[in-house]
């Protein structure tokens, strides 16, 4: 999600090309790794990631578009999704 938020911030000015998006994604990944080595806990990392959305410094809608872009290239199986989300999706889709 950090990658999506960083890309959303950059997209406010103009839509980045593929090269710029790759650069932003790499920078966000490096920042996450830096936080890990510094011992930043998950709640603090979450605050750092979501703060631009909360403060209005990044568009939630644009961040969602970038999150969808990133998910397209992420292999995701049913086993990766928590049971409560699988039940929620089933309910939304009208499955028993």
């Amino acid at each position: 999600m950090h990658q999506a938020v960083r890309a959303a911030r950059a997209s406010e000015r103009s839509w980045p090309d593929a090269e710029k998006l790759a650069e932003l994604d790499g920078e966000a990944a490096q920042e996450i790794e830096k936080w890990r080595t510094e011992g930043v806990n998950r709640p603090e990392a979450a605050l750092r990631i979501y703060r631009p959305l909360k403060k209005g410094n990044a568009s939630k809608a644009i961040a969602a578009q970038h999150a969808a872009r990133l998910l397209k290239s992420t292999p995701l199986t049913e086993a990766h999704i928590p049971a409560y989300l699988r039940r929620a999706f089933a309910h939304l889709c009208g499955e028993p």
Side-chain angles (χ1 to χ4, degrees):
M1 196 62 204
H2 188 41
Q3 293 167 320
V5 174
R6 294 271 312 251
R9 291 183 76 184
S11 298
E12 294 282 334
R13 295 178 292 284
S14 66
W15 201 262
D17 61 17
E19 185 177 320
K20 181 64 176 175
L21 287 172
E23 178 185 323
L24 292 166
D25 292 348
E27 290 172 359
Q30 288 175 349
E31 191 166 21
I32 293 289
E33 190 54 42
K34 180 182 172 208
W35 293 344
R36 281 189 185 124
T37 60
E38 292 174 349
V40 174
N41 63 36
R42 287 183 180 201
E44 176 60 28
L47 287 171
R48 292 179 186 188
I49 291 167
Y50 288 100
R51 187 171 288 125
L53 298 174
K54 177 73 174 161
K55 299 269 186 186
N57 297 327
S59 164
K60 292 174 189 171
I62 295 174
Q65 290 175 348
H66 285 292
R69 171 185 59 84
L70 292 162
L71 283 173
K72 282 183 182 178
S73 62
T74 303
L76 188 65
T77 66
E78 195 170 304
H80 292 105
I81 302 170
Y84 74 93
L85 284 178
R86 290 195 304 270
R87 289 191 301 274
F89 291 142
H91 176 74
L92 288 171
C93 295
E95 297 175 9

